[in-house]
Amino acid sequence: MTAENKRSWFGKNLNSSSNTATPLSGWWIFGLCVAMIVGFTTLITLTCRTYVDKPPIPEQVVDTSGNTVFSGSDIRQGQEIFLSKGLMSNGTVWGHGSYLGPDFPALTLHRIGEQARNDYAFQFNKTYDQLSTERKGAVDAKVIETIKANRFNPSKSVLTLTHSQVRAYQAEPAHWAEYFSNPGKNGGLKPNTITDPDELKKLSAYFTWMAWASAANRPGKSYSYTNNFPYDPTVGNTPTTVAFVYSVASILFLLGGIGLTLFIIGRHPEWDWHSPQNGTTPWLPAQMTSPSQKALVKFVVFVAFLFIMQCLVGGGVAHMRADPTNFYGINLAEYFSSSLLRTFHLQAMIFWLATGFATGGLFLSRVLGGKEMPRQAPLTNILFAALAIVVFGSVLSEWGGLSGLWDGMTFWLGSQGWEYLEIGRAWQWLLIVGLLFWFFLVVRNTVPALKRPPVRKLSIMFLIAAFSIPVFYLPAVFFDNTTNYTIVDTWRFWIIHLWVEGFFELFATTMVALTFIELGLVSKQMGLRLIFLDAILIFMGGIIGTGHHWYFSGMTQPNMMLSSCFSALEVVPLVVLCVEAWSFRKTALLGPDQTMAKKFYWPLMFMLGVGFWNFIGAGVLGFLINMPIVSYFEVGTYLTSNHGHAAMFGVFGMLSLALCLMVLRESASDEVWAKAEKWIKCSFWGLNIGLMLMLVLSLMPAGFLQLWDVFSSGYWHARSVEFTNSGLLSFFGYFRMPGDLVFIFFGAIPFFIASWKVWRFNSKTSVK
């Protein structure tokens, strides 16, 4: 039998079944439709309200005598400078960004408060510290009253600043010039990042406007445009009542959602992994001979390469948190600034995660279709070439943009500057075209399955989930570098949260269900129910829950009320998945079918790891920081990074690698797999142990120390470079090294070695 005529064992299981359609109650479809309609109606309404409720950018900012201090154009140009210099990869604005530098508006706001206290104290011919307790209280009250007052005239689009606020603004350029001059005091930025006086003034105008919006009360309200964020009692910024009340309400939603879900599942025995009606007969694997499937192995090698790149760059960023100027005797900031390294770190992560999912999608679409489509292999190779061009081209362009090579064109050719969406707009459009081309290839493979009743519903769900990937990335182009920050942050989290945690998770669930069906672990009916149940639970909380990222970025309190409660429901499917993962391990991996366990043990163990980290990283650590009252104090601290690493890699990273391993296993003979398996085993334990060490030894204790300092000294202080680079925080920065070393040398590198071995075997076989 020729290689082209052999059948993949995966296609055999799906396509050898009867012609009877898989039964599924209409209530599942109804429930999913209701969850999505209610969720998107609410989310779209909140998004539209952003254009009305956003903090206004005045056309003119004047002093009390009517003299112009700066203009709205200065504010917008200040934002452009902020983005073009990669400062969101250094510090944060309203809690979002990187943790190497300060929260820029928080520090600016605190300096405005200090200036006002000194000015009012001068009226008594004394410094603030020389005042009596009674007079200090009077000065403090006057400062709060002055800063909280909203002097914006919407009819004229004019904002009036007090004498103290104007003096504080005039002093800001000198503060920032000093900050940008020394990498040792700014978290590893390029020396003298900004020296032009005009740029410093415009950047100061941008930070001053954000500081004003952080403290000035909304018209007719007793809280600011950012719901009194950041925490700084000296200027009157303290938590709102809504933050307390709806934090309690979110706990009720969480407990009620978990209880109701477990009750429903417990009433139906078919949800039990031990139920005999769930399994199907697994098919022993023959060698994968489809040319398009073999072409996917190099995608896995590419994933492994980008994964190592991300880890090494991430290690450099982590070192800069502990010591920005001394990387084992080298002043790394002179060659690669921390903002550039962090940009590379995030972009490499996004690229290898998306590539792993795209590889899994092409792999399983071929499984569903059951036959090799004409010219699918060369088209797959074209996709790979396009992917490589976008990845390496965008990375080099980001380096050029942050190095000043694309003056005036950085937004399009270099780095947009927005966290997670740093890729230049021109490269972003190419990425969208690439995603659409990938979907085209997936459709070509899947179309034959639509003609067969046994797999028609599974195929439809698979295509819907795949189609959502390119479509829901489009909000990434709904703004530019001068758009109001609140509007940008709204659309940005349509990508970061809704695209990744919503539709990528739906696509992932569909692929996992298909894999379980093919391995004989569940029936088609059970697989469909798994997809619909997870989709309903994800979208019930996840769509509206997107708003928990917008608590303090200029949205109104209705967003906090809704998103705090519904984001708590995001934990519900994670608890269910963790319980199911343990049951799956006992029944499937340790059950009587040792043939399946032996051949696919490690790909399935990676999927088992997804369930564990879903519960720990996304569930426990995510819910910890999602409650409004907790988020108010901790957003932008290492507790956010703690959750981000555990959830992003633990869930999506482990699943991406699991899908890659399925491709490797199907393409390798037993002999080749035996050589690669020891490296995969090492990788599995290295990645999990390394990630746990990162969290327990470094990110989590550092986060709680930072949270303590927010309570005691204010948010501006806990985010200051002086605090983050001193004492115990610096110690915990160095103490991240054990976890990083285990993760890289026993996790990422062994995975690359395993994928390289399989690819080399296939290359030699193809040559012969």
Side-chain angles (χ1 to χ4, degrees):
M1 182 181 294
T2 64
E4 287 73 21
N5 291 329
K6 291 183 180 179
R7 291 289 301 273
S8 166
W9 75 279
F10 270 103
K12 189 175 181 180
N13 190 19
L14 274 176
N15 298 304
S16 61
S17 53
S18 67
N19 291 323
T20 305
T22 304
L24 183 73
S25 171
W27 286 105
W28 288 105
I29 301 175
F30 175 78
L32 179 59
C33 290
V34 168
M36 295 191 69
I37 290 172
V38 172
F40 273 110
T41 299
T42 305
L43 184 65
I44 292 171
T45 300
L46 292 173
T47 301
C48 290
R49 288 298 307 173
T50 302
Y51 288 83
V52 178
D53 299 328
K54 65 184 184 298
I57 297 179
E59 289 304 313
Q60 290 293 325
V61 179
V62 301
D63 60 18
T64 52
S65 300
N67 301 311
T68 299
V69 180
F70 54 85
S71 66
S73 176
D74 292 331
I75 296 172
R76 296 182 184 91
Q77 289 179 44
Q79 179 172 284
E80 289 185 88
I81 294 166
F82 172 79
L83 296 171
S84 66
K85 301 299 182 180
L87 296 184
M88 204 173 185
S89 291
N90 173 253
T92 56
V93 284
W94 291 341
H96 296 303
S98 180
Y99 316 127
L100 294 161
D103 185 275
F104 297 105
L107 185 55
T108 301
L109 176 60
H110 187 76
R111 288 201 283 245
I112 290 173
E114 287 182 330
Q115 183 67 58
R117 276 193 301 279
N118 293 334
D119 287 345
Y120 287 130
F122 185 74
Q123 296 175 3
F124 300 103
N125 295 318
K126 294 182 178 180
T127 65
Y128 179 79
D129 293 335
Q130 293 173 335
L131 296 177
S132 64
T133 302
E134 182 179 354
R135 283 187 171 176
K136 280 184 179 179
V139 168
D140 291 342
K142 185 65 175 177
V143 168
I144 293 173
E145 178 187 353
T146 301
I147 292 179
K148 299 297 287 183
N150 191 337
R151 298 178 179 82
F152 175 68
N153 186 331
S155 62
K156 297 181 179 180
S157 191
V158 173
L159 171 63
T160 302
L161 298 181
T162 65
H163 175 70
S164 297
Q165 289 171 320
V166 172
R167 288 190 65 191
Y169 160 72
Q170 292 171 340
E172 283 297 293
H175 287 304
W176 294 120
E178 181 183 1
Y179 174 80
F180 293 129
S181 65
N182 187 352
K185 296 181 179 180
N186 60 31
L189 287 174
K190 183 180 178 181
N192 299 313
T193 301
I194 304 178
T195 57
D196 182 85
D198 186 57
E199 288 188 339
L200 289 168
K201 287 181 180 179
K202 291 176 179 178
L203 188 67
S204 298
Y206 179 55
F207 293 155
T208 299
W209 168 75
M210 298 195 87
W212 166 79
S214 301
N217 287 338
R218 282 185 178 272
K221 305 295 182 180
S222 60
Y223 50 85
S224 72
Y225 291 97
T226 60
N227 291 310
N228 284 354
F229 180 85
Y231 176 65
D232 191 346
T234 64
V235 296
N237 269 12
T238 55
T240 62
T241 302
V242 169
F244 285 102
V245 172
Y246 280 88
S247 294
V248 176
S250 68
I251 297 175
L252 295 179
F253 269 69
L254 169 66
L255 297 177
I258 292 175
L260 180 61
T261 302
L262 294 180
F263 171 75
I264 293 174
I265 293 176
R267 291 192 61 186
H268 298 279
E270 63 268 22
W271 287 106
D272 186 2
W273 284 99
H274 297 272
S275 177
Q277 63 180 296
N278 287 335
T280 59
T281 303
W283 292 86
L284 299 180
Q287 283 300 296
M288 183 175 69
T289 56
S290 164
S292 66
Q293 297 283 49
K294 280 191 173 183
L296 293 177
V297 178
K298 60 177 169 288
F299 283 75
V300 179
V301 177
F302 192 59
V303 166
F305 171 76
L306 291 177
F307 184 29
I308 291 178
M309 173 183 168
Q310 187 219 351
C311 293
L312 294 176
V313 173
V317 175
H319 187 91
M320 282 189 166
R321 287 175 180 163
D323 190 344
T325 59
N326 184 9
F327 186 78
Y328 304 106
I330 301 173
N331 188 355
L332 196 60
E334 292 185 0
Y335 307 98
F336 297 98
S337 67
S338 59
S339 58
L340 179 62
L341 290 181
R342 189 174 187 273
T343 296
F344 286 171
H345 181 61
L346 292 182
Q347 290 308 298
M349 174 195 68
I350 293 170
F351 281 133
W352 76 258
L353 284 177
T355 302
F357 275 85
T359 304
L362 289 171
F363 177 63
L364 290 172
S365 65
R366 169 67 175 81
V367 170
L368 280 169
K371 65 178 182 179
E372 180 78 357
M373 301 301 292
R375 297 180 299 281
Q376 188 74 3
L379 290 174
T380 302
N381 291 330
I382 291 174
L383 177 65
F384 180 80
L387 174 66
I389 291 172
V390 170
V391 170
F392 292 115
S394 63
V395 167
L396 290 174
S397 294
E398 285 167 346
W399 171 79
L402 293 178
S403 299
L405 298 181
W406 318 123
D407 189 27
M409 291 294 292
T410 298
F411 178 79
W412 281 92
L413 297 180
S415 170
Q416 291 187 48
W418 299 111
E419 185 190 26
Y420 291 103
L421 298 174
E422 288 93 344
I423 181 174
R425 181 57 57 86
W427 295 105
Q428 203 170 48
W429 277 112
L430 289 177
L431 178 60
I432 291 172
V433 172
L435 289 173
L436 290 172
F437 182 59
W438 165 79
F439 178 69
F440 165 72
L441 296 183
V442 169
V443 170
R444 289 183 90 237
N445 274 341
T446 312
V447 164
L450 298 177
K451 302 175 182 179
R452 294 192 296 276
V455 293
R456 182 178 298 148
K457 291 178 181 178
L458 281 168
S459 303
I460 291 173
M461 285 301 299
F462 178 75
L463 288 177
I464 291 174
F467 182 64
S468 67
I469 302 302
V471 168
F472 281 91
Y473 186 76
L474 289 176
V477 299
F478 288 177
F479 53 84
D480 60 26
N481 53 351
T482 62
T483 306
N484 187 294
Y485 177 83
T486 298
I487 294 175
V488 172
D489 221 40
T490 301
W491 290 118
R492 201 166 63 91
F493 280 104
W494 271 66
I495 306 300
I496 300 172
H497 181 96
L498 190 61
W499 187 59
V500 174
E501 297 181 41
F503 289 98
F504 253 117
E505 190 158 345
L506 172 63
F507 186 54
T509 300
T510 305
M511 289 194 289
V512 170
L514 284 172
T515 302
F516 284 177
I517 291 171
E518 289 307 303
L519 294 178
L521 299 175
V522 299
S523 63
K524 298 184 188 69
Q525 184 177 10
M526 177 65 173
L528 274 173
R529 287 178 176 176
L530 285 171
I531 294 170
F532 274 88
L533 174 66
D534 199 41
I536 290 171
L537 292 176
I538 289 171
F539 291 125
M540 187 180 296
I543 296 178
I544 302 176
T546 305
H548 76 257
H549 297 283
W550 304 329
Y551 290 154
F552 313 115
S553 58
M555 292 280 250
T556 53
Q557 289 194 342
N559 168 69
M560 184 182 291
M561 297 174 184
L562 289 167
S563 60
S564 61
C565 294
F566 281 91
S567 66
L569 294 178
E570 294 180 66
V571 183
V572 176
L574 309 182
V575 173
V576 174
L577 284 174
C578 188
V579 173
E580 291 299 315
W582 182 253
S583 179
F584 164 74
R585 178 181 181 274
K586 292 190 298 183
T587 306
L589 294 186
L590 303 180
D593 187 358
Q594 293 302 310
T595 302
M596 181 278 295
K598 180 180 178 181
K599 292 185 177 293
F600 295 94
Y601 183 82
W602 289 111
L604 293 173
M605 280 295 287
F606 271 76
M607 291 186 183
L608 185 67
V610 172
F612 172 79
W613 287 109
N614 234 330
F615 177 67
I616 298 297
V620 176
L621 301 179
F623 180 73
L624 170 67
I625 66 175
N626 276 5
M627 289 188 292
I629 193 58
V630 177
S631 183
Y632 178 81
F633 291 102
E634 76 71 38
V635 63
T637 68
Y638 289 129
L639 284 179
T640 302
S641 181
N642 185 57
H643 155 66
H645 281 77
M648 200 58 152
F649 175 77
V651 179
F652 295 101
M654 291 290 281
L655 183 55
S656 181
L657 297 181
L659 293 170
C660 289
L661 286 177
M662 296 301 292
V663 173
L664 290 182
R665 183 64 188 98
E666 177 73 343
S667 67
S669 65
D670 291 343
E671 180 183 358
V672 173
W673 184 254
K675 295 178 181 178
E677 193 171 22
K678 61 181 180 181
W679 296 104
I680 295 169
K681 178 180 179 180
C682 176
S683 176
F684 175 81
W685 292 113
L687 293 174
N688 282 279
I689 294 173
L691 180 58
M692 185 63 74
L693 289 175
M694 276 188 227
L695 306 181
V696 175
L697 298 182
S698 180
L699 294 176
M700 187 178 296
F704 278 110
L705 278 175
Q706 228 174 344
L707 183 62
W708 184 284
D709 194 67
V710 173
F711 286 127
S712 59
S713 303
Y715 187 79
W716 71 274
H717 185 269
R719 285 298 317 279
S720 65
V721 177
E722 290 76 15
F723 179 75
T724 56
N725 284 353
S726 64
L728 278 176
L729 271 189
S730 182
F731 168 77
F732 283 121
Y734 278 111
F735 218 51
R736 179 171 163 174
M737 187 177 296
D740 283 357
L741 292 177
V742 171
F743 193 88
I744 294 171
F745 288 100
F746 294 95
I749 292 178
F751 189 90
F752 177 81
I753 293 173
S755 60
W756 180 266
K757 284 181 175 293
V758 176
W759 178 72
R760 288 294 297 164
F761 168 78
N762 280 349
S763 299
K764 292 178 180 178
T765 303
S766 299
V767 171
K768 291 178 181 180

